[in-house]
Amino acid sequence: MSVMGSMYTGISGLTTHAERMSVLGNNLANTSTVGFKSGTVQFEDLFYSSRSHGASVGQIGHGSRVSSIYQDFSQGAYENTGAVTNVAIGGRGFFLVNDPINGSEYYTRAGDFKFDNEGFLINPQGMRVQGWAAADSSTAVVKGAVGDLQIDSFQSEPKETSKMSLSLNLSNKAIDKAKPTTPGTAANGTDFFALFSTWDAKSSPAKPLGDDKYSYQKTMKVFDKTGSAHEVTVYFDKAKTVSGEDTWEYIVTCNPNDDGRPNMMTGSPATNTRTKGLLMAGTISFSNTGAMKNMSAYTYDAGAAGTADPDSKDNWKAATMSEDGFPIFTANFLHLEDVNDTDDKAADGASPELIALDFGFSSKNASRAFENAAETMTAVEADGTKLAKINDVDINKTKKSATSFSIASTTHSMEQDGYTAGFLQEITIDKNGVVGGRYSNGQKQEMFVLALADFADRQSLSLQGGNLYAESSQSGQAVVGRANTGRLGNVSSNTLELSNVDMSRQMVKLILTQRGYQSNSKVVTTSDEMLQEAINLKR
C-alpha cells in the first residue's frame, strides 16, 4: 500500500467520524424533544488488500465507513403535564396520525395532542390522530374501521328508565293499615290488594292515598324518552300470613296527572278512572326467618279492544317479565304541555316506557314468567293460594333481595338506569387508550379508542422529521391494535414521553469522536509529510 493510500484511509476515518458527530449533534439538539429516540452510529472496516511477504501473506485495510445508524427505541422518561390529551405509550407501539391534506399516514411516539375547533384530535402539525369509535360497552370493544377521532357532539342523549331497583327491609313488627271501606271493595283490609282498593285518583288526584293507609313508602325519580324526570312511588303495607309466611302488599304509582296510558285518561279530572296513576300491584312473601321467598306482580291489561275497565281487578293480570327475569310495568308519562292535549302521542299509548321492577328477586326463564300467570287479582282474592309466584328463581340475583327483620323498615339502596340529557364536562383517557367523556348528568361514556401500531422491524422505519415515522418496504406493514393487547404497551394520560437521549453518554461519545477525528487527521498530515520527504529525495 502506498503512502497515497494511507492518506485516503485517513480521509475515510475523517468522513465516518464526521457522520457520527452529525448524529451526536442531532441527539443533543433533541434532548428536550418529546418522544425523540436517539440514534447510534456503527462503523465497519473497508475491504482489504493482500500483500505477499515471503512465506506469508498479509492484508492491509483501506479505512472505515458507516455500516448503520440505529434508533434507540428504549423508553424515555415521563413528564406529568396536567393536560388530559397529552398521552404517552408505556412499552412498544406508535400512535397513528393522518395528514388530512394528502391522506398520508405517519407514526409517532410524541403524544402532545389536542382537540381543534372542529373537534378533531390532532398533533402539533395538524395531523389527525387515528382510532376507532367505541362500542357502547365498558370493555371498550371497538366498532368500525380506523379513522379520524372527532367529538361531533358535546351532548349526552337522555336515556329512559328501563329498570328500577330497591333493596329494603320491611319491619315484621309493622301492622296492616290499608283498610278502605269504599272505592275498591276491599272489605276489611285482609285481602292482598287493599292498597290497590284504597287508591282513589278520581276523588283526590292530588292525594289518592292517605298517609295513614300504608306502612312504608319510597319515591324514586325516573326518566322518560325525552329525559324528563318523573316521580314513581312504591307503597308497602302488611297484608296477612299465609301458610306461615308473612305477606306484604305493594303498589307502584305515579302522579295521576302524569299518567297518559290508554283508558287512564278518559276526560276531565272529574271523570278520570280511580286507578289512574297506579302502575303495578303485587305482594312479597317472607319466611319466618325474614328472608324473601317470592313475589307477585299484576298490571292493567286493556284487552284486545283497549276498552277494559282499569278499575276492575278482573283486568289486572300477572305482569310480563323482562329479559333478565324481572316483572315489567308500563308508564306513559305526560309532560306539562301534554296534560290538556288529548291528541298528543304521549297520551295515546304510542310510546310507553316499560320499566322492570327489581326487589332482588328474578326468574331464570323470562318466557315462563309467573306460575298461576292466568289468574287475575279477582281470582286471587277468591283463593289466596293462587297468588302468582316467580318461576325458576335466580339465586344469583337475590343477594340484595328484600328482607323482613324486626328492625324498622328502611331502604338500603335504590337505583334506576335512566338519566336526562347532559353536556360534556371533562375528557378522560384510560390505560387502554379509551377516550371517554364525563357529562353534567353524571354519565361517563366511551367515545373512541386510540389505535397503536407496531412493526416487525422498527429500525427500518423512515424518519420524516416532526417526530414522525413512515412505513418502509423493509419495516413491514403496520400491525394496528388497541393498547394493552399483544405486544402493544399501555397509554398514560396527562403525560408526555420525553427524549431518551442520555446526555452523559452522548458527551462521552462526543469526546471519543473528537479524538478519533483528530487521530485520522494526523494520519492525513503524517502521510503528507511522508510524501514531502519522498519529493525531497530529488534534491
Side-chain angles (χ1 to χ4, degrees), residues 114-170:
K114 67 174 184 176
F115 287 101
D116 66 10
N117 58 0
E118 296 181 90
F120 288 102
L121 188 62
I122 61 171
N123 74 350
Q125 291 87 7
M127 297 184 183
R128 294 172 180 173
V129 182
Q130 302 293 288
W132 300 272
D136 186 15
S137 169
S138 60
T139 58
V141 175
V142 299
K143 61 182 179 181
V146 173
D148 300 342
L149 302 183
Q150 181 186 22
I151 299 178
D152 53 8
S153 174
F154 292 88
Q155 181 171 301
S156 167
E157 294 185 358
K159 178 182 181 296
E160 65 176 308
T161 299
S162 62
K163 182 179 179 181
M164 53 182 287
S165 305
L166 284 170
S167 176
L168 44 78
N169 178 74
L170 300 174

Short mmCIF file of all heavy atoms in Angstrom, two decimals, residues 114-170:
data_model
loop_
_atom_site.label_atom_id
_atom_site.label_comp_id
_atom_site.label_asym_id
_atom_site.label_seq_id
_atom_site.Cartn_x
_atom_site.Cartn_y
_atom_site.Cartn_z
N LYS A 114 -54.18 17.55 20.93
CA LYS A 114 -55.22 18.46 21.41
C LYS A 114 -56.41 18.37 20.45
O LYS A 114 -56.29 17.82 19.35
CB LYS A 114 -54.71 19.90 21.46
CG LYS A 114 -54.41 20.49 20.08
CD LYS A 114 -54.05 21.96 20.17
CE LYS A 114 -53.86 22.56 18.77
NZ LYS A 114 -53.60 24.01 18.81
N PHE A 115 -57.55 18.90 20.87
CA PHE A 115 -58.73 18.98 20.01
C PHE A 115 -58.74 20.32 19.30
O PHE A 115 -58.52 21.37 19.93
CB PHE A 115 -60.01 18.81 20.82
CG PHE A 115 -60.24 17.39 21.28
CD1 PHE A 115 -59.95 17.03 22.59
CD2 PHE A 115 -60.74 16.44 20.42
CE1 PHE A 115 -60.16 15.73 23.02
CE2 PHE A 115 -60.95 15.14 20.84
CZ PHE A 115 -60.66 14.78 22.14
N ASP A 116 -58.99 20.29 17.98
CA ASP A 116 -59.06 21.55 17.24
C ASP A 116 -60.48 22.10 17.27
O ASP A 116 -61.37 21.54 17.93
CB ASP A 116 -58.55 21.37 15.81
CG ASP A 116 -59.44 20.45 14.97
OD1 ASP A 116 -60.55 20.09 15.42
OD2 ASP A 116 -59.02 20.08 13.86
N ASN A 117 -60.72 23.19 16.55
CA ASN A 117 -62.03 23.85 16.61
C ASN A 117 -63.13 23.06 15.91
O ASN A 117 -64.30 23.41 16.00
CB ASN A 117 -61.96 25.26 16.03
CG ASN A 117 -61.46 25.26 14.57
OD1 ASN A 117 -61.19 24.21 14.01
ND2 ASN A 117 -61.35 26.44 14.00
N GLU A 118 -62.76 21.99 15.20
CA GLU A 118 -63.76 21.11 14.58
C GLU A 118 -63.98 19.84 15.39
O GLU A 118 -64.75 18.98 14.97
CB GLU A 118 -63.33 20.74 13.16
CG GLU A 118 -63.25 21.91 12.19
CD GLU A 118 -62.85 21.46 10.81
OE1 GLU A 118 -63.74 21.14 10.00
OE2 GLU A 118 -61.63 21.42 10.54
N GLY A 119 -63.30 19.74 16.52
CA GLY A 119 -63.47 18.56 17.37
C GLY A 119 -62.55 17.41 17.03
O GLY A 119 -62.66 16.34 17.64
N PHE A 120 -61.62 17.58 16.08
CA PHE A 120 -60.68 16.52 15.73
C PHE A 120 -59.53 16.51 16.73
O PHE A 120 -59.04 17.57 17.15
CB PHE A 120 -60.12 16.72 14.32
CG PHE A 120 -61.10 16.44 13.21
CD1 PHE A 120 -61.72 17.48 12.55
CD2 PHE A 120 -61.40 15.14 12.84
CE1 PHE A 120 -62.63 17.24 11.54
CE2 PHE A 120 -62.31 14.88 11.83
CZ PHE A 120 -62.93 15.93 11.17
N LEU A 121 -59.07 15.32 17.08
CA LEU A 121 -57.89 15.18 17.91
C LEU A 121 -56.68 15.23 16.98
O LEU A 121 -56.55 14.40 16.07
CB LEU A 121 -57.92 13.85 18.67
CG LEU A 121 -56.84 13.64 19.73
CD1 LEU A 121 -56.93 14.69 20.83
CD2 LEU A 121 -56.93 12.23 20.32
N ILE A 122 -55.78 16.22 17.17
CA ILE A 122 -54.69 16.44 16.24
C ILE A 122 -53.36 16.54 16.99
O ILE A 122 -53.32 16.77 18.20
CB ILE A 122 -54.91 17.73 15.42
CG1 ILE A 122 -54.97 18.95 16.35
CG2 ILE A 122 -56.17 17.63 14.56
CD1 ILE A 122 -54.97 20.29 15.63
N ASN A 123 -52.25 16.40 16.22
CA ASN A 123 -50.92 16.64 16.77
C ASN A 123 -50.50 18.07 16.43
O ASN A 123 -51.25 18.80 15.77
CB ASN A 123 -49.93 15.59 16.24
CG ASN A 123 -49.55 15.83 14.78
OD1 ASN A 123 -50.14 16.65 14.08
ND2 ASN A 123 -48.56 15.10 14.31
N PRO A 124 -49.32 18.54 16.85
CA PRO A 124 -48.94 19.95 16.61
C PRO A 124 -48.90 20.33 15.13
O PRO A 124 -49.03 21.50 14.79
CB PRO A 124 -47.56 20.05 17.26
CG PRO A 124 -47.58 19.03 18.34
CD PRO A 124 -48.37 17.88 17.78
N GLN A 125 -48.69 19.36 14.23
CA GLN A 125 -48.65 19.67 12.79
C GLN A 125 -50.04 19.68 12.16
O GLN A 125 -50.17 19.89 10.96
CB GLN A 125 -47.78 18.64 12.05
CG GLN A 125 -46.30 18.74 12.35
CD GLN A 125 -45.90 17.94 13.58
OE1 GLN A 125 -46.70 17.21 14.14
NE2 GLN A 125 -44.66 18.10 14.00
N GLY A 126 -51.08 19.44 12.97
CA GLY A 126 -52.43 19.43 12.44
C GLY A 126 -52.87 18.10 11.87
O GLY A 126 -53.95 18.00 11.28
N MET A 127 -52.05 17.08 12.03
CA MET A 127 -52.42 15.74 11.55
C MET A 127 -53.39 15.10 12.54
O MET A 127 -53.25 15.28 13.76
CB MET A 127 -51.19 14.87 11.36
CG MET A 127 -50.25 15.40 10.30
SD MET A 127 -48.86 14.30 10.01
CE MET A 127 -47.95 15.24 8.79
N ARG A 128 -54.33 14.35 12.02
CA ARG A 128 -55.41 13.82 12.83
C ARG A 128 -55.06 12.46 13.42
O ARG A 128 -54.65 11.55 12.69
CB ARG A 128 -56.69 13.73 12.00
CG ARG A 128 -57.21 15.10 11.58
CD ARG A 128 -58.35 15.02 10.61
NE ARG A 128 -58.82 16.37 10.25
CZ ARG A 128 -59.72 16.62 9.32
NH1 ARG A 128 -60.27 15.60 8.64
NH2 ARG A 128 -60.08 17.85 9.04
N VAL A 129 -55.24 12.35 14.71
CA VAL A 129 -54.96 11.09 15.42
C VAL A 129 -56.00 10.05 15.00
O VAL A 129 -57.18 10.36 14.82
CB VAL A 129 -54.99 11.32 16.93
CG1 VAL A 129 -54.66 10.03 17.68
CG2 VAL A 129 -54.01 12.42 17.32
N GLN A 130 -55.56 8.80 14.87
CA GLN A 130 -56.41 7.73 14.37
C GLN A 130 -56.85 6.78 15.49
O GLN A 130 -56.15 6.59 16.49
CB GLN A 130 -55.67 6.93 13.29
CG GLN A 130 -55.21 7.77 12.11
CD GLN A 130 -56.37 8.31 11.30
OE1 GLN A 130 -57.05 7.56 10.59
NE2 GLN A 130 -56.62 9.61 11.42
N GLY A 131 -58.00 6.19 15.29
CA GLY A 131 -58.54 5.22 16.25
C GLY A 131 -59.88 4.72 15.80
O GLY A 131 -60.25 4.84 14.62
N TRP A 132 -60.65 4.17 16.73
CA TRP A 132 -61.96 3.60 16.43
C TRP A 132 -63.03 4.30 17.26
O TRP A 132 -62.77 4.81 18.34
CB TRP A 132 -62.02 2.12 16.77
CG TRP A 132 -61.05 1.25 16.06
CD1 TRP A 132 -61.22 0.62 14.85
CD2 TRP A 132 -59.75 0.84 16.52
NE1 TRP A 132 -60.12 -0.13 14.54
CE2 TRP A 132 -59.20 -0.01 15.54
CE3 TRP A 132 -59.01 1.14 17.66
CZ2 TRP A 132 -57.95 -0.58 15.67
CZ3 TRP A 132 -57.76 0.58 17.80
CH2 TRP A 132 -57.24 -0.27 16.80
N ALA A 133 -64.24 4.24 16.77
CA ALA A 133 -65.38 4.60 17.61
C ALA A 133 -65.55 3.50 18.64
O ALA A 133 -65.36 2.31 18.35
CB ALA A 133 -66.64 4.73 16.75
N ALA A 134 -65.87 3.88 19.87
CA ALA A 134 -66.03 2.89 20.94
C ALA A 134 -67.46 2.37 20.93
O ALA A 134 -68.41 3.13 20.80
CB ALA A 134 -65.73 3.52 22.31
N ALA A 135 -67.58 1.05 21.03
CA ALA A 135 -68.90 0.46 21.17
C ALA A 135 -69.45 0.82 22.54
O ALA A 135 -68.72 1.21 23.45
CB ALA A 135 -68.84 -1.05 20.98
N ASP A 136 -70.76 0.68 22.72
CA ASP A 136 -71.41 1.01 24.00
C ASP A 136 -71.15 -0.11 24.99
O ASP A 136 -72.00 -0.94 25.26
CB ASP A 136 -72.90 1.20 23.78
CG ASP A 136 -73.59 1.69 25.04
OD1 ASP A 136 -72.88 2.13 25.96
OD2 ASP A 136 -74.83 1.62 25.11
N SER A 137 -69.92 -0.15 25.51
CA SER A 137 -69.52 -1.26 26.37
C SER A 137 -68.41 -0.83 27.30
O SER A 137 -67.52 -0.08 26.91
CB SER A 137 -69.05 -2.45 25.53
OG SER A 137 -68.44 -3.43 26.33
N SER A 138 -68.44 -1.30 28.53
CA SER A 138 -67.40 -0.97 29.49
C SER A 138 -66.09 -1.68 29.19
O SER A 138 -65.05 -1.35 29.74
CB SER A 138 -67.86 -1.35 30.91
OG SER A 138 -68.12 -2.74 30.98
N THR A 139 -66.12 -2.67 28.30
CA THR A 139 -64.90 -3.39 27.94
C THR A 139 -64.18 -2.74 26.78
O THR A 139 -63.20 -3.25 26.29
CB THR A 139 -65.23 -4.85 27.57
OG1 THR A 139 -66.17 -4.85 26.49
CG2 THR A 139 -65.82 -5.58 28.76
N ALA A 140 -64.68 -1.58 26.35
CA ALA A 140 -64.05 -0.81 25.28
C ALA A 140 -63.94 -1.60 23.99
O ALA A 140 -62.93 -1.56 23.30
CB ALA A 140 -62.67 -0.33 25.73
N VAL A 141 -64.95 -2.33 23.64
CA VAL A 141 -64.99 -3.00 22.35
C VAL A 141 -65.09 -1.92 21.28
O VAL A 141 -65.83 -0.96 21.42
CB VAL A 141 -66.20 -3.95 22.26
CG1 VAL A 141 -66.32 -4.55 20.87
CG2 VAL A 141 -66.06 -5.05 23.31
N VAL A 142 -64.33 -2.08 20.19
CA VAL A 142 -64.32 -1.06 19.16
C VAL A 142 -65.25 -1.46 18.03
O VAL A 142 -65.61 -2.63 17.87
CB VAL A 142 -62.90 -0.84 18.61
CG1 VAL A 142 -61.99 -0.36 19.72
CG2 VAL A 142 -62.34 -2.11 17.97
N LYS A 143 -65.67 -0.48 17.24
CA LYS A 143 -66.53 -0.77 16.10
C LYS A 143 -66.08 0.07 14.91
O LYS A 143 -65.55 1.17 15.06
CB LYS A 143 -67.99 -0.48 16.43
CG LYS A 143 -68.29 0.97 16.79
CD LYS A 143 -69.76 1.14 17.15
CE LYS A 143 -70.07 2.59 17.52
NZ LYS A 143 -71.48 2.78 17.90
N GLY A 144 -66.28 -0.48 13.72
CA GLY A 144 -65.91 0.23 12.51
C GLY A 144 -64.43 0.15 12.22
O GLY A 144 -63.66 -0.56 12.87
N ALA A 145 -64.01 0.89 11.17
CA ALA A 145 -62.61 0.90 10.75
C ALA A 145 -61.85 2.02 11.44
O ALA A 145 -62.44 2.93 12.03
CB ALA A 145 -62.55 1.08 9.24
N VAL A 146 -60.52 1.95 11.38
CA VAL A 146 -59.69 3.01 11.94
C VAL A 146 -59.92 4.29 11.15
O VAL A 146 -59.97 4.29 9.92
CB VAL A 146 -58.20 2.60 11.88
CG1 VAL A 146 -57.31 3.76 12.31
CG2 VAL A 146 -57.94 1.40 12.77
N GLY A 147 -60.07 5.39 11.86
CA GLY A 147 -60.31 6.67 11.21
C GLY A 147 -60.02 7.83 12.13
O GLY A 147 -59.51 7.66 13.24
N ASP A 148 -60.33 9.03 11.66
CA ASP A 148 -60.12 10.24 12.46
C ASP A 148 -60.97 10.19 13.72
O ASP A 148 -62.11 9.71 13.70
CB ASP A 148 -60.51 11.49 11.66
CG ASP A 148 -59.69 11.65 10.38
OD1 ASP A 148 -58.62 11.02 10.30
OD2 ASP A 148 -60.13 12.39 9.48
N LEU A 149 -60.42 10.72 14.81
CA LEU A 149 -61.15 10.79 16.07
C LEU A 149 -61.71 12.20 16.22
O LEU A 149 -60.96 13.18 16.25
CB LEU A 149 -60.23 10.46 17.24
CG LEU A 149 -59.56 9.07 17.18
CD1 LEU A 149 -58.73 8.83 18.42
CD2 LEU A 149 -60.58 7.97 17.00
N GLN A 150 -63.02 12.30 16.31
CA GLN A 150 -63.66 13.60 16.35
C GLN A 150 -64.83 13.60 17.32
O GLN A 150 -65.65 12.67 17.31
CB GLN A 150 -64.17 14.00 14.96
CG GLN A 150 -64.84 15.37 14.91
CD GLN A 150 -65.46 15.67 13.56
OE1 GLN A 150 -65.77 14.76 12.79
NE2 GLN A 150 -65.63 16.94 13.25
N ILE A 151 -64.90 14.59 18.16
CA ILE A 151 -66.07 14.79 19.01
C ILE A 151 -67.06 15.61 18.19
O ILE A 151 -66.86 16.81 17.95
CB ILE A 151 -65.70 15.54 20.31
CG1 ILE A 151 -64.70 14.73 21.13
CG2 ILE A 151 -66.95 15.81 21.13
CD1 ILE A 151 -64.25 15.43 22.39
N ASP A 152 -68.12 14.96 17.72
CA ASP A 152 -69.08 15.67 16.88
C ASP A 152 -70.29 16.15 17.67
O ASP A 152 -71.16 16.84 17.13
CB ASP A 152 -69.54 14.79 15.72
CG ASP A 152 -70.05 13.44 16.17
OD1 ASP A 152 -70.19 13.24 17.40
OD2 ASP A 152 -70.29 12.58 15.31
N SER A 153 -70.36 15.78 18.94
CA SER A 153 -71.44 16.27 19.78
C SER A 153 -70.95 16.39 21.21
O SER A 153 -70.27 15.51 21.72
CB SER A 153 -72.64 15.30 19.73
OG SER A 153 -73.63 15.70 20.65
N PHE A 154 -71.27 17.50 21.81
CA PHE A 154 -70.85 17.73 23.19
C PHE A 154 -72.01 17.48 24.15
O PHE A 154 -71.99 17.92 25.29
CB PHE A 154 -70.33 19.16 23.35
CG PHE A 154 -69.04 19.40 22.63
CD1 PHE A 154 -69.04 19.80 21.30
CD2 PHE A 154 -67.83 19.21 23.26
CE1 PHE A 154 -67.85 20.01 20.61
CE2 PHE A 154 -66.63 19.41 22.60
CZ PHE A 154 -66.63 19.81 21.27
N GLN A 155 -73.00 16.73 23.68
CA GLN A 155 -74.18 16.46 24.49
C GLN A 155 -74.40 14.96 24.62
O GLN A 155 -74.20 14.21 23.68
CB GLN A 155 -75.41 17.11 23.85
CG GLN A 155 -76.70 16.90 24.65
CD GLN A 155 -77.84 17.72 24.11
OE1 GLN A 155 -77.75 18.94 24.04
NE2 GLN A 155 -78.91 17.07 23.69
N SER A 156 -74.79 14.54 25.79
CA SER A 156 -75.17 13.15 26.04
C SER A 156 -76.68 13.03 25.92
O SER A 156 -77.42 13.75 26.60
CB SER A 156 -74.72 12.74 27.46
OG SER A 156 -75.32 11.53 27.85
N GLU A 157 -77.14 12.16 25.05
CA GLU A 157 -78.58 12.00 24.86
C GLU A 157 -79.22 11.37 26.09
O GLU A 157 -78.58 10.59 26.80
CB GLU A 157 -78.85 11.12 23.63
CG GLU A 157 -78.42 11.76 22.32
CD GLU A 157 -78.82 10.92 21.13
OE1 GLU A 157 -79.41 9.83 21.34
OE2 GLU A 157 -78.55 11.34 19.99
N PRO A 158 -80.48 11.71 26.35
CA PRO A 158 -81.14 11.12 27.52
C PRO A 158 -81.41 9.64 27.32
O PRO A 158 -81.44 9.14 26.19
CB PRO A 158 -82.45 11.92 27.60
CG PRO A 158 -82.70 12.36 26.20
CD PRO A 158 -81.36 12.62 25.61
N LYS A 159 -81.61 8.94 28.40
CA LYS A 159 -81.95 7.52 28.36
C LYS A 159 -83.15 7.29 29.26
O LYS A 159 -83.15 7.69 30.42
CB LYS A 159 -80.77 6.66 28.82
CG LYS A 159 -81.07 5.17 28.85
CD LYS A 159 -79.86 4.39 29.36
CE LYS A 159 -80.10 2.89 29.36
NZ LYS A 159 -81.18 2.49 30.28
N GLU A 160 -84.16 6.66 28.72
CA GLU A 160 -85.34 6.38 29.53
C GLU A 160 -85.05 5.27 30.53
O GLU A 160 -84.23 4.38 30.28
CB GLU A 160 -86.51 5.98 28.64
CG GLU A 160 -86.30 4.67 27.89
CD GLU A 160 -87.52 4.27 27.09
OE1 GLU A 160 -88.61 4.22 27.68
OE2 GLU A 160 -87.37 4.01 25.89
N THR A 161 -85.70 5.33 31.65
CA THR A 161 -85.53 4.31 32.67
C THR A 161 -86.14 3.00 32.19
O THR A 161 -87.27 2.95 31.73
CB THR A 161 -86.22 4.74 33.97
OG1 THR A 161 -85.61 5.95 34.44
CG2 THR A 161 -86.08 3.66 35.05
N SER A 162 -85.35 1.94 32.27
CA SER A 162 -85.86 0.62 31.90
C SER A 162 -85.89 -0.33 33.10
O SER A 162 -86.46 -1.41 33.02
CB SER A 162 -85.00 0.01 30.79
OG SER A 162 -83.67 -0.18 31.24
N LYS A 163 -85.28 0.11 34.21
CA LYS A 163 -85.26 -0.75 35.39
C LYS A 163 -85.08 0.11 36.64
O LYS A 163 -84.27 1.02 36.67
CB LYS A 163 -84.11 -1.75 35.28
CG LYS A 163 -84.01 -2.75 36.43
CD LYS A 163 -82.85 -3.70 36.17
CE LYS A 163 -82.67 -4.70 37.29
NZ LYS A 163 -81.52 -5.61 37.04
N MET A 164 -85.87 -0.17 37.65
CA MET A 164 -85.68 0.47 38.95
C MET A 164 -85.54 -0.62 40.02
O MET A 164 -86.25 -1.61 40.01
CB MET A 164 -86.83 1.42 39.28
CG MET A 164 -88.21 0.86 39.21
SD MET A 164 -89.51 2.09 39.57
CE MET A 164 -89.32 2.30 41.34
N SER A 165 -84.55 -0.41 40.89
CA SER A 165 -84.22 -1.44 41.89
C SER A 165 -84.31 -0.86 43.29
O SER A 165 -83.88 0.27 43.54
CB SER A 165 -82.79 -1.96 41.65
OG SER A 165 -82.64 -2.43 40.33
N LEU A 166 -84.86 -1.68 44.19
CA LEU A 166 -84.96 -1.30 45.60
C LEU A 166 -84.45 -2.45 46.46
O LEU A 166 -84.88 -3.59 46.30
CB LEU A 166 -86.41 -1.00 45.98
CG LEU A 166 -87.00 0.34 45.54
CD1 LEU A 166 -88.50 0.35 45.79
CD2 LEU A 166 -86.35 1.49 46.28
N SER A 167 -83.53 -2.14 47.35
CA SER A 167 -83.09 -3.10 48.35
C SER A 167 -83.54 -2.56 49.70
O SER A 167 -83.10 -1.48 50.13
CB SER A 167 -81.56 -3.26 48.32
OG SER A 167 -81.12 -4.11 49.35
N LEU A 168 -84.42 -3.30 50.38
CA LEU A 168 -85.04 -2.73 51.58
C LEU A 168 -85.39 -3.79 52.61
O LEU A 168 -85.36 -4.99 52.33
CB LEU A 168 -86.29 -1.93 51.21
CG LEU A 168 -87.29 -2.54 50.20
CD1 LEU A 168 -88.17 -3.57 50.85
CD2 LEU A 168 -88.15 -1.45 49.59
N ASN A 169 -85.68 -3.30 53.79
CA ASN A 169 -86.19 -4.16 54.87
C ASN A 169 -87.57 -3.65 55.26
O ASN A 169 -87.78 -2.45 55.49
CB ASN A 169 -85.27 -4.12 56.10
CG ASN A 169 -85.81 -4.97 57.24
OD1 ASN A 169 -85.74 -6.20 57.18
ND2 ASN A 169 -86.36 -4.34 58.27
N LEU A 170 -88.53 -4.57 55.31
CA LEU A 170 -89.89 -4.24 55.74
C LEU A 170 -90.10 -4.87 57.12
O LEU A 170 -90.08 -6.10 57.27
CB LEU A 170 -90.91 -4.80 54.73
CG LEU A 170 -90.76 -4.24 53.31
CD1 LEU A 170 -91.70 -4.97 52.35
CD2 LEU A 170 -91.01 -2.74 53.27
#
